[in-house]
Structures are given as C-alpha cells and as structure tokens.
Amino acid sequence: MSEKWYLGAGAQNDIVLSTRIRLARNLSEYPFPAKLGIPERIKVNNLIKDALSCEGAPKLKYIEMKTLSQYEAVSLAERHLISPEFASSGDGRALLLAPDEAVSIMLCEEDHIRLQVMYAGLALEEAFAYANTIDDIIDSKLHYAFDERIGYLTQCPTNLGTGMRASVMLHLPALTRCGQMQRLVSTVSKLGLAIRGSYGEGSAAKGDLYQLSNQITLGISEKSAIENLKSITLQIAAQERAAREELCKDINYEDKIFRAYGILSQARLLTSDEFMELISFVRLGAVKKLLPIDEHTVNDLLVSMQPATISLSVERPLDAQERDILRAQRVRDAIKEE
Amino acid sequence: MSEKWYLGAGAQNDIVLSTRIRLARNLSEYPFPAKLGIPERIKVNNLIKDALSCEGAPKLKYIEMKTLSQYEAVSLAERHLISPEFASSGDGRALLLAPDEAVSIMLCEEDHIRLQVMYAGLALEEAFAYANTIDDIIDSKLHYAFDERIGYLTQCPTNLGTGMRASVMLHLPALTRCGQMQRLVSTVSKLGLAIRGSYGEGSAAKGDLYQLSNQITLGISEKSAIENLKSITLQIAAQERAAREELCKDINYEDKIFRAYGILSQARLLTSDEFMELISFVRLGAVKKLLPIDEHTVNDLLVSMQPATISLSVERPLDAQERDILRAQRVRDAIKEE
C-alpha cells in the first residue's frame, strides 16, 4: 500500500487537515453525463483514461464503479475521493485514482471530469498547480467545452467559469466550543466562501471538522479565488489558535482532553459519533503536546475509523456492533503503538 | 506509618472488603456519657485508657478528640474508625487507636466504650476473638454495667444484651446492576440482618458498597449472631459471583469497566461521587483480572480518596476543586505504579 496523502505533514497542520482542489470539465463533443446512455458514458470514460495514459501523466488506476462492493464505494466517499452521490450508483461511472490517493478523477459524475487533487495541510497553490498540470494533459488530447466569455461549461451553473472548487478541511474545536461558528459562517459567506460540515452542504460538523470553500467561479480567476481562500483560512486559524490558548488554561477543558484520551485508550465499543466527538479533543491534546500521541496518528484514525472504511480494512461488510468493537480495538492499538 | 488493615488480603476479598466487630460497654459506677459533664467523661476515659496500659493489651494511641482539626476527625469517620457523630463534637471524647487501625475504641460516644476491631475480608470469628480479648482485659480491671438476665447495659435499647454489632462491607456491583438489591434488603431483614449504604443507616450505597450487619443483640449469643451473619454473607457472595459471571459476558458491561479505568487513568478532575462510581467498575475489573490493577490498590484508594482523608494527606484543608485535582492526580499515580 502506498503512503497515503493524509499521513504526510502539512503547513498549518495544527488546524488545517487537508487542501482539496477540484476542477469540473466536460468534453465539447458529448452531452453532459445526465444525457448520456451507459455505452456512451463508457466511451467518454475511456477517452479520458487514454488521454492520461501518456508519458508525464500521473499513474492512475482505472476503477469501474459497478465492480465495487457497497462498502468499497462508500469508503471512497468517506475518504473524500468521490462524492457520496457517485458512490450510490455505479452505472457508466469510473474513477481514476492515484496510489497515494492524492489524485482522484470521477468520470461521468455530474460532469464528464471531476478532477481532484488533495494534499495534507494548507497547500492551495501546490494542489492547484498539480491539478493544472493534469488538466493541461487532458486539454492537450481532448477538446473541452469552453466558452471564451464564460469559461468552462459545466452542468450546474454554480460551477461555470473556472469550474474550480478549492477547499480546506479545518479542525475548529475551540471556536466551536466558544460558540463562534455561527458568526463565522455568516462572515465568510459575505466574503464569497462557505463553511460547512466536513461532508459539505447539510452535513454536520462531526469532530469539529469544517470544510471551507470558495463559492464563486464566475468572473474571478483561479489565482484570486485561491488567494482569498488562503487569506481567510489563515485568519480563521489565527482565531482558532487564540481560542485554544484560552481554552487550554481551563482545567475543566484539560480534563476533557485527558478523559477523551483515557476512553479511547480503553473502550471496547466505540460508535462513529462518539469516536468523532472524542478524537476532536484528542487531536487538540496532540497538537498541544499534552498527550503522548502524534497528530498524524490522529489524522490517520479520522480517515480510517469511518464505518465503510473499517469494513474495507477487513474486506467484508460488518454489522454495527462488529464495527464498534473493531473500531475500539483499532483505536486502542494505534494509541498503544505510540 | 504502619501497614493499615485494609492493605492486607482477606477471605472472600473479591466481594467482602472488611469485617467489623463492635462491642458497646459501660462502666457500672458512672451514668451514661449523655449524663456526664466533661470532667467526669475525662475521668472515665482515663480509667479505660489505664485499664489498657497493661502487659498483653494492644498498643493504642490515646487521642483527645478536641485536639483534632475538623478534617482529621472527619477522616477518622471516613475510615470507619469512629462514628460520624463522634467526629462532630470533641468535648470529653477520646479515641484509643492502634497503629494499624485494626482496633479503635471510642470513649464516651453514646456508651462509655465502643470497642471496634476491623479486619480485611471476611473474618468474623477472628475479629470477634480479638475484640473479646481486649474486652476481657478491660473487664478484669473495671466493672461493666451488666445484668444477669439482659446482658450488657447500653444507652440505646437496640444494643442491650451482647452489645455487639458485627458487620461486613460488601461490594455488590452486579446485584445492584441487576436490580436485586431491593429484594435482598427485604430478605435479610427477615433474617435479623440489615443491609445499608457503606456509612450505615440512611447513607447511599456509593461505589456499590453495602454494610451488612446483625440487628438482634438480645436473647442471642454472639456466636449465633456471627454464624448467622457469616452464612448469609456467603450466600450473598455466591449470588453476587453468579451475577458477575453473567454481567461480564456482556460486552457493554466490559466496555464500562475499561472506560472507567481509562477515565481514572487520565482525568484531571475527579469528584468523590464520580470516583466512587468509576472505582466500583474498576474493582470488579481488577477482581476479574481484566485490568492491570491490583484489588488491594483499589481498596486502598477507596479509603484514601475520601474528601477529608485527602486533606489529611496534605495536612491542610482543601477546597473542593483542589481536592478534585489532587484526587485525580493520586488516582493516576496509583494506576501508573501498577
């Protein structure tokens, strides 16, 4: 197994878990996927796969979604490699995936191409540069649906223009605890950004994880969008750090951090929700060097302890109790190894 | 500091923490303490002290209660060496205390003499034999208030006759959890016994600790009373063991045991109530060899983590938060040492 992107260290990693750049692209010769039958989708998928089989392109594995079991597909969504919607139906859909999972390309999701680059920490420019490189390779082989005035054409008008969605995953336990999130949501929306639960629109912020992303794709360059997102990320990170500083002076909060660690070290049953609640405290304790656990171990657990990803690790579907037992065991083992 | 009685091992120690025999005695030449002025009480106290200063008597320290700080007095009550009532007022009261705390004699409590022997585990005959020895020494020097027909005379009629209260401290987490205690309370009362919280009448059963004691002192020999108590203790212990067997098959309960251990290993704040709740799980886990902690360490903590006893260990009164911090630290240290 290759080293996964999330096992690396990244800038601002005390607060920023990861950066994602997603580009939406369509081929000009074909209607949007919704209007394509399965054979035509497969044709489109193969065109794109072939375009990326050349020298200089990243090595990607081609996965037909219909060949995956449900937990394999859902695990990909849990790891943010595909959209939850893409996991739900496999017909005529395929995924191009890098071994380290830093690059994933959904084929025939809403658009023909949903190219994603995901890096650890805050790395917007780097992720964008790499996405751009891959985008250029495809562009040199195939013909994108592009309008000189509007930009890239996409099925959903919210993506028209750059077709780019840049986002960062933030761990904001202190701002959440201090009741600052409501204010933050409204502030960033005025700045053309959105802050949401870790699985996007409508999802809860489990583990105090939030996704901050640009909303505007039209009439703005990728560079400006990224600069804006980066600058606001750094401001939020500074606020979160200040709030953490205050919070950690409170012995009641320190107590909660250590208790969460104690429970995760010993529990025999852990639901996903409880795990997320406790690991948030432990991540802060790790970052603050209060706990004998590395934050990268925590980041790894955040990804690998999700329901379908646990099933994937034993290569069979598990019922809820089996999953809770296995989750508890894996968490104990990870803590013991430190 | 001498080794305390509770640090030793005892029979049935998985369930029976300790055995206490208490004899109530009065001197025939003096009215009951309630009718004595302070100088006369002191006179009585000295008479008894002197009676026990001879060869063959246990080495006892004479402590005038008025010389103790409040937390010193309350700590003695927490450790079951004196009654809570005895801790509340020091005038004309004194205590004779063995270095290992196995023997304590309250002077001028309700009766002139309240002689107690406390042993680890189930040791009713042994404790009674030792109490008897001490009682005989006093009897050989002083004149007890004794009626041929009734037996020993005591202020409260419930103690008339043998003047003996025999009791065992039981840890009954499984019977408590299975909702069996109500039934048990009513059953043992029909058998001339009472089962109560660990601090006697009206006290809550914190930590699932219960005190089982004989109620009848009149028209029954000490031997019969002790045999009765022992036989019922063994029956309850068998029921508790069977209930534990069932309970520990349940992963939800096993999970609770390990979580309790995890929290006690890591918490930075522990109230007395939460400590008692958690240590009950941990004691069962220790007895069942599920946890890397010795049950004697648990027994020691049960005694030493009580509010006034914690203050005693630092020789100054502590406020509630200081106590909770110190308790959490001591518990962590005790677990780490294992």
Side-chain angles (χ1 to χ4, degrees):
Chain A
M1 219 180 189
S2 305
E3 278 284 284
K4 298 293 186 283
W5 65 267
Y6 48 78
L7 296 176
Q12 309 276 328
N13 208 185
D14 56 334
I15 287 156
V16 187
L17 275 91
S18 60
T19 295
R20 285 191 292 157
I21 294 285
R22 186 265 285 154
L23 301 177
R25 299 289 186 260
N26 288 281
L27 305 185
S28 63
E29 293 88 359
Y30 294 85
F32 291 133
K35 300 280 181 191
L36 290 181
I38 293 178
E40 292 160 299
R41 291 189 192 182
I42 294 172
K43 197 173 166 189
V44 165
N45 297 346
N46 277 305
L47 278 173
I48 301 160
K49 179 182 80 163
D50 292 344
L52 285 167
S53 301
C54 61
E55 189 81 23
K59 212 178 126 62
L60 301 168
K61 191 177 170 193
Y62 184 77
I63 301 162
E64 289 181 80
M65 291 303 290
K66 69 170 184 198
T67 65
L68 298 183
S69 68
Q70 213 212 331
Y71 65 81
E72 287 173 318
V74 174
S75 171
L76 289 167
E78 287 176 349
R79 289 176 285 151
H80 295 282
L81 299 170
I82 62 174
S83 61
E85 205 273 319
F86 199 66
S88 66
S89 152
D91 274 347
R93 290 171 159 180
L95 177 70
L96 287 165
L97 184 62
D100 71 352
E101 299 179 357
V103 179
S104 61
I105 307 175
M106 287 188 283
L107 302 178
C108 286
E109 203 241 22
E110 195 177 279
D111 298 299
H112 295 143
I113 298 172
R114 285 283 179 104
L115 160 60
Q116 173 181 283
V117 171
M118 174 154 55
Y119 278 2
L122 181 62
L124 284 159
E125 292 93 343
E126 298 85 337
F128 177 68
Y130 192 35
N132 219 14
T133 306
I134 303 166
D135 188 40
D136 286 348
I137 295 170
I138 305 171
D139 199 16
S140 70
K141 305 279 175 74
L142 299 168
H143 200 245
Y144 278 156
F146 185 83
D147 179 278
E148 281 302 328
R149 205 168 47 87
I150 297 173
Y152 293 101
L153 302 179
T154 56
Q155 174 170 318
C156 179
T158 58
N159 294 314
L160 282 173
T162 59
M164 182 190 79
R165 184 78 71 232
S167 68
V168 287
M169 181 79 79
L170 305 175
H171 184 221
L172 305 177
L175 290 174
T176 304
R177 189 158 180 101
C178 301
Q180 298 287 306
M181 290 311 301
Q182 203 60 31
R183 186 189 55 76
L184 208 59
V185 165
S186 112
T187 308
V188 303
S189 82
K190 288 173 197 148
L191 300 165
L193 301 184
I195 193 161
R196 295 165 174 150
S198 55
Y199 287 91
E201 213 157 341
S203 72
K206 286 186 181 165
D208 305 319
L209 294 176
Y210 297 87
Q211 186 180 292
L212 178 71
S213 61
N214 70 316
Q215 293 303 291
I216 301 164
T217 54
L218 206 55
I220 183 174
S221 71
E222 289 90 342
K223 192 164 174 284
S224 314
I226 283 174
E227 273 170 10
N228 186 34
L229 178 60
K230 184 176 177 179
S231 136
I232 293 166
T233 299
L234 292 174
Q235 285 173 51
I236 293 175
Q239 287 176 33
E240 168 68 18
R241 272 182 212 110
R244 287 181 181 184
E245 210 55 49
E246 275 311 298
L247 208 53
C248 287
K249 283 180 196 158
D250 179 0
I251 185 151
N252 289 290
Y253 197 79
E254 196 192 330
D255 182 53
K256 280 182 192 297
I257 289 176
F258 281 99
R259 279 165 184 257
Y261 180 74
I263 294 172
L264 291 184
S265 308
Q266 294 293 341
R268 261 51 188 170
L269 286 172
L270 276 176
T271 64
S272 181
D273 281 358
E274 190 190 13
F275 167 76
M276 289 303 286
E277 193 190 321
L278 296 175
I279 199 78
S280 176
F281 286 108
V282 169
R283 191 177 195 278
L284 182 50
V287 165
K288 284 277 177 192
K289 310 284 179 222
L290 292 171
L291 299 176
I293 184 169
D294 192 82
E295 67 194 82
H296 301 301
T297 304
V298 174
N299 294 349
D300 183 19
L301 287 173
L302 274 169
V303 174
S304 59
M305 290 301 103
Q306 299 179 94
T309 306
I310 287 189
S311 286
L312 183 68
S313 74
V314 290
E315 294 181 341
R316 67 183 177 89
L318 298 171
D319 68 30
Q321 172 154 314
E322 286 178 316
R323 229 162 38 214
D324 292 349
I325 292 173
L326 190 57
R327 182 181 289 113
Q329 189 191 310
R330 292 275 168 83
V331 171
R332 291 200 306 278
D333 291 347
I335 289 177
K336 226 173 276 166
E337 267 175 33
E338 293 277 317
Chain B
M1 220 176 187
S2 305
E3 278 283 284
K4 298 292 186 281
W5 65 266
Y6 47 80
L7 296 176
Q12 309 276 328
N13 208 186
D14 56 335
I15 287 156
V16 187
L17 275 91
S18 60
T19 295
R20 285 192 291 157
I21 295 285
R22 186 264 286 153
L23 301 177
R25 299 288 186 260
N26 288 281
L27 305 185
S28 62
E29 292 88 358
Y30 295 85
F32 291 133
K35 300 280 180 192
L36 292 180
I38 293 178
E40 292 159 299
R41 290 189 194 181
I42 294 172
K43 196 173 167 191
V44 165
N45 296 346
N46 278 304
L47 278 173
I48 301 162
K49 180 181 79 162
D50 292 345
L52 285 168
S53 300
C54 61
E55 189 81 22
K59 212 177 126 62
L60 301 169
K61 191 177 168 191
Y62 184 77
I63 302 162
E64 288 182 79
M65 291 303 292
K66 69 171 185 198
T67 65
L68 299 182
S69 68
Q70 214 212 330
Y71 65 81
E72 288 173 317
V74 174
S75 170
L76 289 168
E78 287 176 349
R79 289 176 284 150
H80 295 281
L81 299 170
I82 62 174
S83 62
E85 206 273 319
F86 199 66
S88 66
S89 152
D91 274 347
R93 290 171 160 180
L95 177 69
L96 287 165
L97 183 63
D100 70 353
E101 299 179 355
V103 179
S104 61
I105 307 176
M106 288 188 283
L107 302 178
C108 286
E109 203 240 22
E110 195 177 277
D111 298 299
H112 296 144
I113 298 172
R114 285 282 178 105
L115 160 61
Q116 173 181 284
V117 172
M118 174 153 54
Y119 278 2
L122 181 62
L124 284 160
E125 292 93 344
E126 298 85 336
F128 177 68
Y130 192 35
N132 220 14
T133 306
I134 302 166
D135 187 40
D136 286 349
I137 295 170
I138 306 171
D139 199 16
S140 70
K141 307 278 174 76
L142 299 168
H143 200 246
Y144 278 155
F146 184 83
D147 178 278
E148 282 302 329
R149 206 169 45 88
I150 298 174
Y152 293 101
L153 301 179
T154 56
Q155 174 171 318
C156 180
T158 58
N159 293 313
L160 282 174
T162 60
M164 182 190 79
R165 184 78 71 233
S167 68
V168 287
M169 182 79 80
L170 304 175
H171 184 223
L172 305 177
L175 290 175
T176 304
R177 190 161 179 97
C178 302
Q180 299 288 305
M181 290 311 300
Q182 203 61 32
R183 186 189 55 76
L184 208 59
V185 166
S186 113
T187 307
V188 303
S189 83
K190 289 173 196 149
L191 300 166
L193 301 183
I195 193 160
R196 298 165 172 150
S198 55
Y199 286 91
E201 213 156 343
S203 72
K206 287 185 180 167
D208 305 318
L209 294 176
Y210 297 86
Q211 187 180 292
L212 178 70
S213 60
N214 69 315
Q215 292 303 291
I216 300 165
T217 53
L218 206 55
I220 184 174
S221 70
E222 289 90 343
K223 190 162 176 282
S224 314
I226 284 174
E227 272 170 12
N228 185 34
L229 178 59
K230 184 176 176 180
S231 136
I232 293 165
T233 299
L234 292 174
Q235 285 174 49
I236 294 174
Q239 286 175 32
E240 169 68 17
R241 274 184 209 108
R244 288 180 179 183
E245 210 55 48
E246 275 312 298
L247 209 53
C248 288
K249 285 181 194 157
D250 179 1
I251 185 148
N252 289 290
Y253 196 79
E254 195 191 330
D255 182 53
K256 280 183 192 297
I257 289 176
F258 281 99
R259 280 165 183 257
Y261 181 75
I263 293 172
L264 291 184
S265 308
Q266 294 293 340
R268 262 51 188 169
L269 285 172
L270 276 176
T271 64
S272 181
D273 281 358
E274 189 191 13
F275 168 75
M276 289 302 286
E277 192 190 321
L278 297 175
I279 199 77
S280 176
F281 286 109
V282 168
R283 190 177 196 277
L284 182 50
V287 165
K288 284 276 178 196
K289 310 284 179 224
L290 291 171
L291 299 176
I293 185 170
D294 193 83
E295 66 194 84
H296 302 302
T297 304
V298 174
N299 294 349
D300 183 20
L301 287 173
L302 273 169
V303 174
S304 58
M305 291 301 103
Q306 300 179 93
T309 306
I310 287 188
S311 286
L312 184 69
S313 73
V314 291
E315 293 182 341
R316 66 182 178 89
L318 298 170
D319 69 29
Q321 174 155 312
E322 286 177 317
R323 228 162 37 213
D324 292 349
I325 292 173
L326 190 57
R327 183 180 290 113
Q329 190 192 308
R330 291 276 168 84
V331 171
R332 291 200 306 280
D333 291 348
I335 289 178
K336 226 175 275 165
E337 268 175 32
E338 293 277 317

